[in-house]
């Protein structure tokens, strides 16, 4: 895939990921339409007038519908923050668990992320991989200035607010208009990043207002073609050339309908493999020799990348310990230690140090007596690498 190769060549530690709401939908988070419906039902349950909102929704004016509903809430002494705190359905913003797309995002070579999403999926993902991020919220001048000075690189910048700070969430027309059209540090930060960084959009749609704002901004300035903006977009093949010429945005089209994002996941796996594979030679050879085998190859490299994120080198013993634990799902500590001491010849102190290292870096989990794998793609890969060796070991144990 030529576009994936080109993007892999551009991505590095300084790349910024823009993660849109589409990345949250596999975890059960609502679309913008669904969230407005929730707000409408909440307003109606409190006796607010929803007639104007219904009229706006007939013509897909979601921001205006949200604004009139917010106005109705204010008239009865309520607010958007009350909606997010009191509406039972909004509990999903805190309870949702990361999915495969989030694990793939965490495998990319950058940890600089901006997102309009209110949920906690990205925070949970990076915590699970042992790489907690600096959280930057809307209006946080000190941390936003740190982003602009490159003083922090591992961050999640939630410029529309977060469910943990519902009073600051941007959802209606007045709030959004203020962000876009009045001087503020959030807008200036976004514009500076657009002009100075490689930006990759994942989970944003062509009708996403944030994506369109960036697109329109690029149309205003003189040299959009000198910038590096890439966007994974569903079924955008017919307009790719126009977007490149008019806005300097490189669109990567993926197929799918509704909640089917499998082709997007496939392309992200391609990208990860390209990033891990010098010049893409392994992938090219595999595509020629065995097209049917490429899907398995795409998931490989997650283990190596996870270990490299925790340390500067990959320790074979670390890979083996993760694989041994993941194979059994849950294993007693003494069984794990006995395997690597008696069968593999490692010293007990060495095994203990590596297990403790893996626990501290959240590559495995532990209780007092048991070891457990993280629920991530790299655990599956490690288990598959150890499978044959462990099966031989179990056969030997059975025959003794």
């Amino acid at each position: 895939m030529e576009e994936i190769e080109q993007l892999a060549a551009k991505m590095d530690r300084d790349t910024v990921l823009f993660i849109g709401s589409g990345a949250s939908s596999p975890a059960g988070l609502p679309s913008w339409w669904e969230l407005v419906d929730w707000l409408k039902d909440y307003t109606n349950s409190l006796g607010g007038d929803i007639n104007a909102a219904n009229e706006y929704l007939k013509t897909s004016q979601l921001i205006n519908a949200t604004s009139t509903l917010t106005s109705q809430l204010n008239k009865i002494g309520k607010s958007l923050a009350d909606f997010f705190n009191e509406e039972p359905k909004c509990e999903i913003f805190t309870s949702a668990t990361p999915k495969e797309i989030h694990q793939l995002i965490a495998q990319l070579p950058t940890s600089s992320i901006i997102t309009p999403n209110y949920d906690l999926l990205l925070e949970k993902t990076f915590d699970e991989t042992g790489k907690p991020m600096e959280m930057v919220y809307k209006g946080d001048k000190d941390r936003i200035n740190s982003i602009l000075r490159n003083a922090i690189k591992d961050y999640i910048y939630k410029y529309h607010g977060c469910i943990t700070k519902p009073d600051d969430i941007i959802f209606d027309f007045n709030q959004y208009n203020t962000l876009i059209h009045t001087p503020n540090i959030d807008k200036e930060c976004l514009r500076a990043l657009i002009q100075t960084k490689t930006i990759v959009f994942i989970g944003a749609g062509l009708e996403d207002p944030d994506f369109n704002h960036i697109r329109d901004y690029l149309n205003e300035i003189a040299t959009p073609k000198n910038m590096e903006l890439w966007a994974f977009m569903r079924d955008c093949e017919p307009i790719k050339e126009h977007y490149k010429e008019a806005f300097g945005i490189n669109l990567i089209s993926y197929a799918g309908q509704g909640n089917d994002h499998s082709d997007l996941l496939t392309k992200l796996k391609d990208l990860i493999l390209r990033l891990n594979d010098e010049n893409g030679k392994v992938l090219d050879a595999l595509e020629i020799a065995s097209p049917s085998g490429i899907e398995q190859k795409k998931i490989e490299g997650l283990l190596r990348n996870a270990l490299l994120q925790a340390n500067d080198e990959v320790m074979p013993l670390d890979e083996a310990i993760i694989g041994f634990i993941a194979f059994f799902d849950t294993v007693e500590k003494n069984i794990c230690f006995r395997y690597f001491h008696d069968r593999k010849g490692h010293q007990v102190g060495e095994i203990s140090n590596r297990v403790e290292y893996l626990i501290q870096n959240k590559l495995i989990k532990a209780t007092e007596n048991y070891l457990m794998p993280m629920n991530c793609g790299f655990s599956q890969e490690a288990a598959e690498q150890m499978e044959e060796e462990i099966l031989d070991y179990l056969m030997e144990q059975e025959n003794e």
Side-chain angles (χ1 to χ4, degrees):
M1 295 182 179
E2 182 180 352
E3 295 159 333
I4 298 294
E5 290 181 26
Q6 292 172 354
L7 175 56
K10 299 291 185 181
M11 286 192 74
D12 57 22
R13 186 77 171 82
D14 286 331
T15 298
V16 175
L17 304 178
F18 182 104
I19 308 301
S21 60
S24 295
S25 61
L29 274 296
S31 66
W32 194 6
W33 268 99
E34 291 171 319
L35 190 56
V36 174
D37 275 338
W38 292 2
L39 178 61
K40 186 178 70 171
D41 291 342
Y42 175 79
T43 305
N44 188 47
S45 71
L46 296 174
D49 186 349
I50 62 172
N51 290 324
N54 283 330
E55 288 300 311
Y56 281 125
L57 291 175
K58 289 178 181 178
T59 53
S60 301
Q61 297 184 60
L62 299 181
I63 291 181
N64 287 331
T66 304
S67 296
T68 188
L69 292 170
T70 303
S71 177
Q72 286 297 311
L73 288 178
N74 292 337
K75 289 179 181 179
I76 56 180
K78 290 288 185 176
S79 66
L80 276 175
D82 292 320
F83 162 66
F84 284 106
N85 283 326
E86 297 173 3
E87 170 54 51
K89 292 179 181 177
C90 288
E91 190 265 342
I92 189 69
F93 285 100
T94 55
S95 66
T97 56
K99 300 301 179 184
E100 184 179 9
I101 188 170
H102 304 102
Q103 295 167 6
L104 293 173
I105 288 169
Q107 300 300 326
L108 295 171
T110 179
S111 299
S112 301
I113 296 175
I114 56 178
T115 180
N117 300 345
Y118 314 138
D119 58 66
L120 307 178
L121 290 166
L122 291 168
E123 295 96 306
K124 291 179 180 179
T125 300
F126 282 93
D127 283 344
E128 287 177 0
T129 59
K131 193 174 185 180
M133 305 281 273
E134 182 92 11
M135 297 307 302
V136 183
Y137 299 105
K138 179 175 72 73
D140 187 339
K141 294 182 179 180
D142 290 339
R143 285 189 172 87
I144 292 172
N145 278 320
S146 293
I147 291 175
L148 293 172
R149 297 195 313 272
N150 283 327
I152 56 174
K153 288 186 178 293
D154 300 326
Y155 63 83
I156 300 174
Y157 174 25
K158 308 188 84 165
Y159 69 97
H160 274 193
C162 180
I163 194 62
T164 60
K165 299 175 178 290
D167 288 323
D168 295 330
I169 284 177
I170 290 178
F171 192 33
D172 69 14
F173 177 80
N174 291 331
Q175 295 166 326
Y176 194 80
N177 193 54
T178 298
L179 175 67
I180 298 301
H181 297 295
T182 63
N184 61 79
I185 192 167
D186 297 281
K187 182 177 73 174
E188 297 310 314
C189 180
L190 291 175
R191 292 190 168 191
L193 291 174
I194 291 167
Q195 295 185 68
T196 59
K197 304 289 185 181
T198 296
I199 308 288
V200 180
F201 290 83
I202 302 173
L206 288 172
E207 299 306 316
D208 188 303
D210 298 290
F211 178 77
N212 286 340
H213 166 63
I214 291 174
R215 181 200 64 193
D216 294 342
Y217 171 62
L218 291 173
N219 204 30
E220 294 174 6
I221 60 180
T223 57
K225 292 183 180 179
N226 292 335
M227 300 177 190
E228 287 291 341
L229 285 94
W230 298 76
F232 290 88
M233 294 283 175
R234 174 179 281 167
D235 298 326
C236 64
E237 198 68 36
I239 61 172
K240 283 167 57 175
E241 184 176 348
H242 168 69
Y243 263 72
K244 176 64 175 176
E245 292 178 355
F247 311 113
I249 300 175
N250 302 277
L251 297 182
I252 300 176
S253 184
Y254 68 91
Q257 296 181 347
N259 291 323
D260 178 14
H261 297 280
S262 57
D263 193 39
L264 171 59
L265 299 181
T266 297
K267 284 182 166 54
L268 289 175
K269 291 172 185 176
D270 279 335
L271 176 60
I272 291 168
L273 182 57
R274 294 286 181 184
L275 290 162
N276 287 335
D277 175 41
E278 182 181 1
N279 298 323
K281 292 177 182 177
V282 171
L283 180 59
D284 291 337
L286 183 60
E287 285 175 331
I288 295 170
S290 177
S292 62
I294 193 168
E295 288 303 317
Q296 178 59 34
K297 184 63 181 175
K298 286 171 184 172
I299 69 169
E300 295 175 2
L302 301 183
L303 173 62
R304 180 178 180 275
N305 213 21
L307 289 168
L308 283 174
Q309 284 186 1
N311 197 13
D312 289 334
E313 60 178 327
V314 176
M315 303 285 288
L317 180 55
D318 291 350
E319 293 181 283
I321 291 172
I322 294 172
F324 187 85
I325 295 167
F327 180 89
F328 292 103
D329 190 53
T330 299
V331 65
E332 292 184 33
K333 285 183 179 179
N334 65 332
I335 292 176
C336 181
F337 275 60
R338 191 183 311 129
Y339 174 85
F340 286 101
H341 178 265
D342 297 349
R343 185 176 179 85
K344 308 301 290 184
H346 294 283
Q347 297 298 314
V348 172
E350 179 189 12
I351 302 166
S352 179
N353 287 339
R354 300 320 301 167
V355 167
E356 185 61 31
Y357 168 83
L358 294 173
I359 294 170
Q360 289 179 354
N361 284 277
K362 297 186 178 180
L363 296 170
I364 60 173
K365 297 180 285 187
T367 63
E368 184 177 354
N369 298 312
Y370 290 91
L371 299 171
M372 295 152 289
M374 301 299 291
N375 185 25
C376 297
F378 66 77
S379 296
Q380 176 190 346
E381 183 185 340
E384 290 171 353
Q385 290 180 7
M386 288 289 290
E387 181 177 4
E388 184 175 348
E389 187 173 333
I390 294 173
L391 288 175
D392 289 342
Y393 165 70
L394 293 175
M395 288 291 290
E396 292 174 14
Q397 293 291 106
E398 188 175 316
N399 293 329
E400 287 181 358

